[in-house]
């Protein structure tokens, strides 16, 4: 299974993850921080999709009720269930954070962290 | 009946939270009774379920009738049972306290406040009950989202604090989710028990090691272990008075519980041998946190910030206890965790009452308050005794068992950390008490107190202060209970 992880997918995941984390930590603009956050979440979702992928398999619905079930024909449904839930969690986090950003902008008239901090003093 | 009670612990506050916006649009004054009764009922169910568990053994509740490991399962064993009881009682006290603090603080936001608080309580209960790694993530995120919104509820500076909390909390959650992905890749299961059964075959796989690093890092951020505590003091210093006790007493403690659950019941730290000293590394984190947190608390001028750093140092202490690697230390740590939930709630009740009556939050404004607010100062002294660790309060017995556990493990550094954090705690409480009973009022506004604090505030503060002493008096029994039914298998 882990030869897989050296594939382009895994490299993409790591690149996106590090990019997102760096943007989140180093940028002062609140929206850019959120973009970084979204990149991190997306990269993890991408990782989950990658470990669940199986070439040549079909959707996990029984082809026929008769006869023994052949597991290797079907894709593993569980990572996909995880991904859907993780997307929902990510979207709600983004919703709350955008709400907070709007409230901050209305109150302080800026989205730059240093300017807001200046206005606080 | 028992099996339904397990599910109801989580479902009661959840359904009340869903009903709250509709009810609030109709009759706003009914919000508080509904919230209180939902959490009260939850406490009753938690009690009955916990009693059944302690007498008849762990209960597994397969959600939707799908048996584990395929379905999602709620597990109520000794540890989660005791924690669910503590959680529901403390949150009941916090809700009771929160009502009268609201109008001044939150204006018309009564409905969102109650909705979010109930949702958070149900999600925290879900974390304690969850028997599935991914389900735990979802519950953690739901509770964290409610916490972000609650911190930002009063607007102003709190918004910035809430945003920072959100950024760090999301990094923690992402790390946790990534770790879960690695675990699934390595073993093909997310059910905690099933995972522990399959782990011995995959113990040396790099995926497990990476996964556990990410999971523990994520939970350390959520539990505010030093050096990942940056979000906590700001969030607690600026959040509304009605919200802080809940956050301080429950959110970090439940993350700590999740860490305990994963370290022992998923990673099998007590039964499996890793290539590296897992428990020792965690306990080092706790050692640093206990001392650094207490030291930072000593340097604060703001009352709430001081309490927040005190909480950070106590997180470190609990980690030291839990990871001592023997039963004595573990039960001491768990007992201290319950104690700390009560102590943190009481401390922020006191800060809230002082804020309510004289608008003071700076240490220098506390002059002469001691004689004018006898109840509050009495509660403060009881809590201070417990935070420092003087018998007969609960804090003493928790620390006692933790020190015994650390001695048993021959971890003298941890013993030194516990003792020095005790001294530092003594120092910062002396600072507060010295100001409160100081000779002359340091400013004019402190002399003109607002009218008496509402009776609900005083009752909830008094009840929790009394329960600190009760926890101390019954510590033998509680620790015995933990030793009998909540200790992880295979712990020496």
């Amino acid at each position: 299974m882990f030869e897989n992880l050296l594939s382009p997918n895994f490299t993409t995941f790591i690149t996106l993850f590090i990019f997102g984390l760096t943007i989140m930590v180093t940028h002062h603009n609140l929206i850019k921080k959120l973009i970084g956050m979204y990149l991190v979440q997306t990269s993890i979702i991408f990782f989950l999709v990658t470990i669940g992928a199986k070439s040549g398999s079909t959707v996990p619905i029984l082809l026929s009720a008769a006869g023994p079930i052949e597991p290797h024909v079907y894709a593993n449904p569980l990572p996909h269930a995880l991904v859907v839930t993780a997307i929902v969690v990510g979207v709600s986090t983004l919703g709350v954070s955008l709400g907070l950003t709007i409230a901050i902008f209305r109150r302080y008239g800026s989205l730059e962290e240093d300017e807001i901090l200046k206005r606080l003093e | 009946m028992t099996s339904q009670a397990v599910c109801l612990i989580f479902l009661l506050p959840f359904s009340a939270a869903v009903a709250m916006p509709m009810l609030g649009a109709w009759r706003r004054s009914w919000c508080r009774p509904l919230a209180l009764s939902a959490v009260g009922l939850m406490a009753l169910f938690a009690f009955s379920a916990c009693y059944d568990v302690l007498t008849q053994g762990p209960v597994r509740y397969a959600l939707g009738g799908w048996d584990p490991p395929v379905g999602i399962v709620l597990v109520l064993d000794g540890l989660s049972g005791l924690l669910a009881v503590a959680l529901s009682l403390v949150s009941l006290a916090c809700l009771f306290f929160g009502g009268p603090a609201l109008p001044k603080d939150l204006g018309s936001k009564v409905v969102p406040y109650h909705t979010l608080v109930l949702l958070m309580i149900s999600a925290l209960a879900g974390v304690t009950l969850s028997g599935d790694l991914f389900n735990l993530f979802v519950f953690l995120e739901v509770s964290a989202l409610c916490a972000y919104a609650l911190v930002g509820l009063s607007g102003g500076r709190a918004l910035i604090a809430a945003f920072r909390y959100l950024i760090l909390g999301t990094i923690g959650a992402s790390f946790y989710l990534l770790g879960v992905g690695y675990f699934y890749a390595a073993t093909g299961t997310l059910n905690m028990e099933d995972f522990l059964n399959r782990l011995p075959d995959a113990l040396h796989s790099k995926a497990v090691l990476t996964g556990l690093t990410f999971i523990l890092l994520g939970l350390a951020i959520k539990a505010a272990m030093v050096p990942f505590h940056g979000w906590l003091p700001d969030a607690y210093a600026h959040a509304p008075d009605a919200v802080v006790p809940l956050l301080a007493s429950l959110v970090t403690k439940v993350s700590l519980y999740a860490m305990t659950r994963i370290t022992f019941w998923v990673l099998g730290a007590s039964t499996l041998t890793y290539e590296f000293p897992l428990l020792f590394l965690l306990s080092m984190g706790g050692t640093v946190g206990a001392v650094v947190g207490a030291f930072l608390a000593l340097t604060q001028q703001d009352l709430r910030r001081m309490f927040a750093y005190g909480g950070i140092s106590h997180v470190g202490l609990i980690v030291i206890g839990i990871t001592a690697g023997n039963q004595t230390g573990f039960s001491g740590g768990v007992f201290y965790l319950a104690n700390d939930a009560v102590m943190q709630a009481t401390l922020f009740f006191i800060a809230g009452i002082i804020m309510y009556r004289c608008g003071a939050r700076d240490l220098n404004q506390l002059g002469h308050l001691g004689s004018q607010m006898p109840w509050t100062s009495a509660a403060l002294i009881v809590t201070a005794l417990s935070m420092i660790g003087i018998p007969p309060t609960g804090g003493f017995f928790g620390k006692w068992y933790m020190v015994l556990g650390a001695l048993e493990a021959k971890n003298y550094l941890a013993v030194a950390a516990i003792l020095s954090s005790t001294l530092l705690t003594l120092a910062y409480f002396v600072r507060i008490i010295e100001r409160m009973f100081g000779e002359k009022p340091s400013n004019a506004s402190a002399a003109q107190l607002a009218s008496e604090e509402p009776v609900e505030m005083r009752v909830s503060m008094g009840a929790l202060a009394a329960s600190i002493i009760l926890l101390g008096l019954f510590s033998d029994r509680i620790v015995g209970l933990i030793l009998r039914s909540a200790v992880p298998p295979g712990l020496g």
Side-chain angles (χ1 to χ4, degrees), chain B residues 94-125:
Chain B
C94 291
L95 257 182
F96 197 62
F97 175 88
L102 277 178
K104 222 176 175 180
D105 219 325
L106 291 177
S108 60
K109 293 177 183 154
V110 181
V111 182
Y113 167 78
H114 281 107
T115 313
L116 287 170
V117 163
L118 283 177
L119 205 55
M120 186 168 90
I121 292 171
S122 80
L124 292 174

Side-chain angles (χ1 to χ4, degrees), chain A residues 20-82:
Chain A
L21 213 57
T22 319
I23 295 173
M24 235 166 145
V25 177
T26 55
H27 276 268
H28 288 294
N29 188 299
L30 301 187
I31 293 289
K32 283 187 185 160
K33 272 183 194 289
L34 294 187
I35 293 174
M37 186 181 96
Y38 202 69
L39 271 180
V40 169
Q41 287 171 341
T42 313
S43 74
I44 293 172
I45 289 168
F46 189 70
F47 172 70
L48 290 176
V49 171
T50 303
I51 62 173
K54 191 159 99 181
S55 58
S57 58
T58 178
V59 284
I61 298 170
L62 284 187
L63 293 173
S64 73
I69 299 167
E70 296 168 53
H72 63 271
V73 179
Y74 306 103
N76 183 355
L78 199 132
H80 302 274
L82 297 192

Side-chain angles (χ1 to χ4, degrees), chain A residues 1-2 5 10 13 17 21 24-25 30 33-34 37 40-41 44 47-48 51 76 78-79 82 85-86 89 92-93 96-97 100-101 103-104 107-108 113 116-117 120, chain B residues 69-70 134 137-138 141 145 148-149 152 154-160 162-164 166-168 170-171 173-175 177-178 180-182 184-186 190 205 207 214:
Chain A
M1 172 171 258
F2 289 101
L5 295 187
F10 197 61
F13 151 67
F17 186 78
L21 213 57
M24 235 166 145
V25 177
L30 301 187
K33 272 183 194 289
L34 294 187
M37 186 181 96
V40 169
Q41 287 171 341
I44 293 172
F47 172 70
L48 290 176
I51 62 173
N76 183 355
L78 199 132
L82 297 192
T85 320
V89 170
S92 354
T93 314
V96 174
S97 54
L100 277 175
T101 318
I104 289 175
R107 173 73 195 255
Y108 297 102
E113 212 175 22
I116 296 170
L117 288 181
L120 280 176
Chain B
V70 176
F134 188 75
F137 162 76
V138 175
E141 268 313 85
L145 283 175
Y148 310 144
S154 58
R157 264 207 98 141
L159 290 171
I160 315 276
F163 192 85
R164 286 196 176 152
L166 183 140
I167 291 288
L168 275 168
T170 309
I171 292 181
S174 304
F175 278 13
L177 179 61
L178 186 56
V180 170
Y182 274 106
Y184 185 72
L190 291 170
S205 110
F214 274 118

Side-chain angles (χ1 to χ4, degrees), chain B residues 319-453:
Chain B
V319 171
I320 292 177
I322 285 172
T323 57
N326 50 51
Q327 294 195 348
T328 324
F330 183 86
S331 50
V334 172
F335 179 63
Y336 204 76
L337 191 139
N339 251 301
D340 194 44
V342 179
M343 290 191 294
Q344 287 285 313
T346 322
L347 281 179
F348 283 102
F349 284 176
I350 292 166
I353 288 178
I354 291 176
M355 187 71 189
Y356 183 90
R357 284 193 62 185
C358 46
R361 53 184 309 155
D362 194 279
L363 270 191
N364 292 324
Q365 293 172 311
L366 291 182
H368 214 52
L369 282 181
S371 50
Q372 285 156 335
M373 300 167 73
W375 288 102
T376 312
S377 3
L380 178 67
I381 288 171
V382 170
T383 322
L385 290 181
S386 181
M387 290 280 283
I388 298 162
I390 295 172
T393 53
F396 167 75
F397 294 99
K399 270 188 187 162
W400 175 250
Y401 288 111
M402 289 196 292
V403 170
L404 285 184
L407 283 176
E408 202 178 311
K410 299 204 167 51
N411 188 349
Y412 298 110
L413 201 60
V415 178
I418 297 176
L419 294 181
S420 51
S421 97
T422 302
L423 284 179
L424 287 166
T425 312
L426 176 69
Y428 66 76
F429 272 105
V430 164
R431 269 187 79 200
I432 300 175
I433 289 170
E434 184 201 353
R435 292 293 154 85
M436 277 192 86
F437 293 95
E439 278 305 307
K440 50 179 190 289
S442 53
N443 61 356
S445 69
Q448 302 162 342
L449 290 179
S451 52
E452 290 278 287
E453 68 266 14

Side-chain angles (χ1 to χ4, degrees), chain B residues 60-74 132 191:
Chain B
R60 279 171 195 75
Y61 184 93
L63 284 172
W66 295 88
D67 284 328
V70 176
I72 293 172
V73 65
L74 297 181
D132 181 281
N191 182 283

Side-chain angles (χ1 to χ4, degrees), chain B residues 236-241 244 302-308 348 351 361:
Chain B
Y236 289 7
H238 300 296
D241 289 331
V244 195
D302 183 302
L303 194 61
R304 291 215 265 178
R305 224 166 240 281
M306 189 181 253
F307 291 159
F348 283 102
R361 53 184 309 155

